[in-house]
């Protein structure tokens, strides 16, 4: 396997280097062909590195697999994207993206401000030809061991019909080339199944997709079909996608924790049973837990940028790093670029 | 208790009189002070009445508690609201609403085309002063035996900031007067907690709500907080509300059915355990099942209109009738009207 290099925005997310640093060490341990740039405040990064296995850290640094790159500022979550971008010089997010721009790294992972990450990525790494704005995409597990590619998950709170069509096409290419689904079904998320339902932009996108014979467009799906595997690609605007995904995550958390309480019991037999059931539960539903599929890919860029949940812990930030590795190995931007020109509607 | 009269759109929903008729008979049996108008195709309604207990049906008809009112057309789900309204003369939905308009009934229940029901209700029954467009509202169960008033659930796919503010105020009055919450917390559903997050209309609504000292506005909540009981009133546009609620319903169905499969086992002990667990599950999570809280109220009208799920079965259509009874008994339109004038922002 080829060597991989990833730049991590170590100051991003609710916990910054406290979780990014151990997740990086975990990834270096797991993937012998991986190198990592930790971009952040040198003092802070060193402090959290000192809490890791010193021998390993020294070894990673001496072999050039672990590099600490200094940043002098942080883009916070309460900054407007436009403001954040204007003031991004020296920030950990920008420097991590510049490492990708300058071909020092093949992917960037950040748990920071989504709008700023989107804007800066577009500015520094550029969109693919024919793509107005990149979209956050994730592959969500569905019933019967199926998977559904869902986008946009929050990069674009407002979308027009052209963007929805571009998302559909990118999602379709992803389903084909990464999930190896031959003729992926593509649906639009809507509030009814009838043609007349929903918003103007969705109806307009539906007309364009219907006319595109390269796309296996199957129509509208409603929220209750989200995890049923009725489609391989589900397209929506970033506001709805974000609310929906978070609703699913929240509900699953409630379910799993309520279940623990429900089974809380004092007798030995019950304790045993409860453990057994919890194992079954985690095995059957744990895959839906946010941490398991953390890391949404910013699809439609010329390079790879992965957005982690802001609230990610070490385990889920590690999952986001793994998403970056998968994206590099499957060469997502090139695959999208190669298929885009034939799939996009021709402008008159 | 006073006598109540409800008009049912018997031709509405996926199953029409097949489920509306038995649900009506069930309601008449359950509520001795209830009278019902069944509005629909006479032949069809009579056919399904003939499948019920003849003695009871005759008795209800003779005592004037069950009245069949003829309609000659149906507003279907694939009709555009504007078209449906123009061609609504003689339709079961319109006649049911006219019974309310003419004071023959105190509430109307329909499982029909949401957009048409909304438009016709506004046309025939009028909005309350200060309300641009009514909203679909339901009370959703949350953790720790709390309840959350959520609106809009799909009456208005597109909303501006003024409408969101009106929804917030109506939701707050409902939480106070029907759920008896003293100082209800009001939140806006958004894709982040920071002030700068989300759509313009949401930020504008937030500014107005912040300035309204009669409202206990607590800020933005994300999708994962939906069922946690962090707020008493949650406000969003009808598109997002509909997708979110349906996502929750779909996920719970998947959970409950997957769980049954998970516990499918052949030994006697396992069968016993599985039954026991299923009972616990239904007790603890069944309340979230769509059928249990079917029936969203069209809030902001001068009269009571309840929208049932289109896919409702007898049990859930019965639940929608019960929602209508509750709305009549708690006199929702009058309570909203009385509090609106002081709560609405003053126009300059």
């Amino acid at each position: 396997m080829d060597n991989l290099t990833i730049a991590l925005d170590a100051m991003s997310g609710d916990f910054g280097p406290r979780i990014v640093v151990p997740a990086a060490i975990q990834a270096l341990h797991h993937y012998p062909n991986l190198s990592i740039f930790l971009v952040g405040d040198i003092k802070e990064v060193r402090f959290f590195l000192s809490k890791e296995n010193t021998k390993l850290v020294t070894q990673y640094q001496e072999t050039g697999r672990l590099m600490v790159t200094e940043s002098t500022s942080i883009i916070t979550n309460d900054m407007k994207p436009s403001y954040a971008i204007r003031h991004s010089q020296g920030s950990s997010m920008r420097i991590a993206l510049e490492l990708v721009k300058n071909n020092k790294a093949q992917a960037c992972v950040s748990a920071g401000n989504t709008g700023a990450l989107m804007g800066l990525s577009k500015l520094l790494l550029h969109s693919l030809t024919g793509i107005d704005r990149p979209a956050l995409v994730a592959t969500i597990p569905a019933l019967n061991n199926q998977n559904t590619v869902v986008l946009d998950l929050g990069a674009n709170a407002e979308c027009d019909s052209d963007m929805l069509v571009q998302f559909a096409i990118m999602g379709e290419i992803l389903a084909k080339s990464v999930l190896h689904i031959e003729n992926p079904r593509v649906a639009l998320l809507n509030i009814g199944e009838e043609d007349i339902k929903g918003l103007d932009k969705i109806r307009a996108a539906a007309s364009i997709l219907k006319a595109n014979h390269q796309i296996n467009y199957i129509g509208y799906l409603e929220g209750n079909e989200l995890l049923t595997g009725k489609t391989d690609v589900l397209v929506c605007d970033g506001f709805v996608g974000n609310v929906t995904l978070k609703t699913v995550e929240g509900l699953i958390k409630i379910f799993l924790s309520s279940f623990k309480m429900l089974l809380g019991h004092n007798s030995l037999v019950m304790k045993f049973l409860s453990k057994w059931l919890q194992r079954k539960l985690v095995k059957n539903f744990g895959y839906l837990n946010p941490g398991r599929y953390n890391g949404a890919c910013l699809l439609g860029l010329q390079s790879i940028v992965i957005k982690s949940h802001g609230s990610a812990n070490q385990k889920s930030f590690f999952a986001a790093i793994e998403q970056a590795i998968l994206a590099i190995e499957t060469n997502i931007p090139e695959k999208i670029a190669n298929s885009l020109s034939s799939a996009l509607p021709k402008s008159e």
Side-chain angles (χ1 to χ4, degrees), chain A:
Chain A
M1 222 187 290
D2 293 340
N3 287 331
L4 311 170
T5 308
I6 295 176
L8 304 183
D9 176 1
M11 309 310 282
S12 66
D14 299 350
F15 310 108
R18 181 185 301 272
I19 72 106
V20 176
V21 168
I25 299 299
Q26 187 186 350
L28 289 171
H29 190 66
H30 237 78
Y31 296 93
N33 60 331
L34 177 67
S35 300
I36 282 179
F37 284 97
L38 278 172
V39 184
D41 177 276
I42 294 275
K43 267 193 192 163
E44 277 198 61
V45 171
R46 287 209 180 123
F47 173 75
F48 287 105
L49 277 174
S50 74
K51 303 198 156 214
E52 300 295 314
N53 179 323
T54 323
K55 204 176 139 193
L56 271 185
V57 170
T58 313
Q59 184 197 315
Y60 292 149
Q61 286 186 306
E62 282 178 359
T63 54
R65 292 184 58 207
L66 177 61
M67 293 149 286
V68 181
T69 304
E70 181 164 24
S71 65
T72 49
S73 66
I74 302 175
I75 292 176
T76 53
N77 258 338
D78 55 0
M79 287 181 187
K80 264 200 171 171
S82 54
Y83 175 93
I85 293 169
R86 278 200 309 279
H87 298 81
S88 60
Q89 288 295 348
S91 67
S92 54
M93 186 187 284
R94 181 169 186 133
I95 293 174
L97 289 169
E98 282 171 341
L99 287 167
V100 177
K101 181 184 166 73
N102 300 326
N103 295 316
K104 307 279 189 203
Q106 294 143 285
C108 163
V109 181
S110 173
N113 184 320
T114 308
L117 184 65
M118 159 81 174
L120 266 180
S121 300
K122 232 188 128 206
L123 185 74
L124 298 171
L125 307 177
H126 307 294
S127 304
L128 294 168
T129 311
I131 298 300
D132 292 328
R133 289 173 65 86
L136 274 176
V137 67
T139 301
I140 310 289
L143 280 182
N144 307 322
N145 294 319
Q146 294 182 81
N147 286 288
T148 305
V149 171
V150 187
L151 70 172
D152 174 22
L153 294 174
N156 310 282
E158 314 222 34
C159 296
D160 60 23
S161 56
D162 287 341
M163 288 165 69
L164 292 175
V165 171
Q166 292 165 17
F167 298 169
I169 292 169
M170 291 197 292
E172 198 258 358
I173 299 171
L174 194 72
K176 241 184 216 159
S177 59
V178 178
L179 299 183
H180 307 295
I181 298 170
E182 208 171 306
N183 187 23
R185 296 159 297 173
V186 176
L188 290 164
L189 183 60
N190 203 345
I191 57 173
E193 287 179 3
E194 298 81 8
D195 278 350
I196 51 110
K197 286 291 163 74
L199 307 169
D200 287 344
K201 64 182 181 188
I202 296 178
R203 287 192 291 266
S207 309
I208 301 172
L209 289 171
K210 264 185 207 165
N212 186 332
H213 298 298
Q214 293 200 41
I215 298 281
N216 180 12
Y217 172 67
I218 60 165
Y220 299 147
L221 282 185
E222 298 186 68
N224 49 331
E225 308 285 7
L226 185 65
L227 302 172
T228 55
K230 284 207 179 161
T231 187
D232 303 301
V233 180
L234 188 62
V235 177
C236 55
D237 71 42
F239 190 92
V240 173
N242 184 285
V243 168
T244 307
L245 189 72
K246 285 192 178 148
T247 300
V248 170
E249 293 170 2
L251 193 56
I252 286 167
K253 271 196 181 167
I254 288 180
F255 242 108
L256 292 176
S257 69
S258 305
F259 211 84
K260 280 188 187 168
M261 272 168 39
L262 176 79
L263 292 174
H265 214 285
N266 289 327
S267 83
L268 255 180
V269 179
M270 282 309 295
K271 268 191 186 153
F272 172 79
L273 260 176
S274 154
K275 279 252 163 82
W276 173 82
L277 262 167
Q278 276 182 38
R279 269 203 307 277
K280 278 226 163 195
L281 265 182
V282 168
K283 197 176 150 210
N284 281 267
F285 301 110
Y287 69 90
L288 286 172
N289 238 343
R292 292 294 184 93
Y293 57 94
N294 183 35
C297 187
L298 214 41
L299 206 63
L301 291 170
Q302 296 188 9
S303 312
I304 297 164
V305 176
I306 303 290
K307 164 76 175 82
S308 154
H309 256 289
S311 63
N313 58 17
Q314 182 188 330
K315 197 170 162 187
S316 31
F317 199 89
F318 174 75
I321 297 175
E322 287 194 303
Q323 288 294 325
I325 294 172
L326 178 72
I328 298 171
E329 284 176 343
T330 49
N331 207 350
I332 289 181
E334 202 183 302
K335 284 204 174 121
I336 303 275
N338 288 345
S339 308
L340 259 186
S341 55
S342 68
L344 278 175
K346 306 288 170 282
S347 47
E348 317 286 293

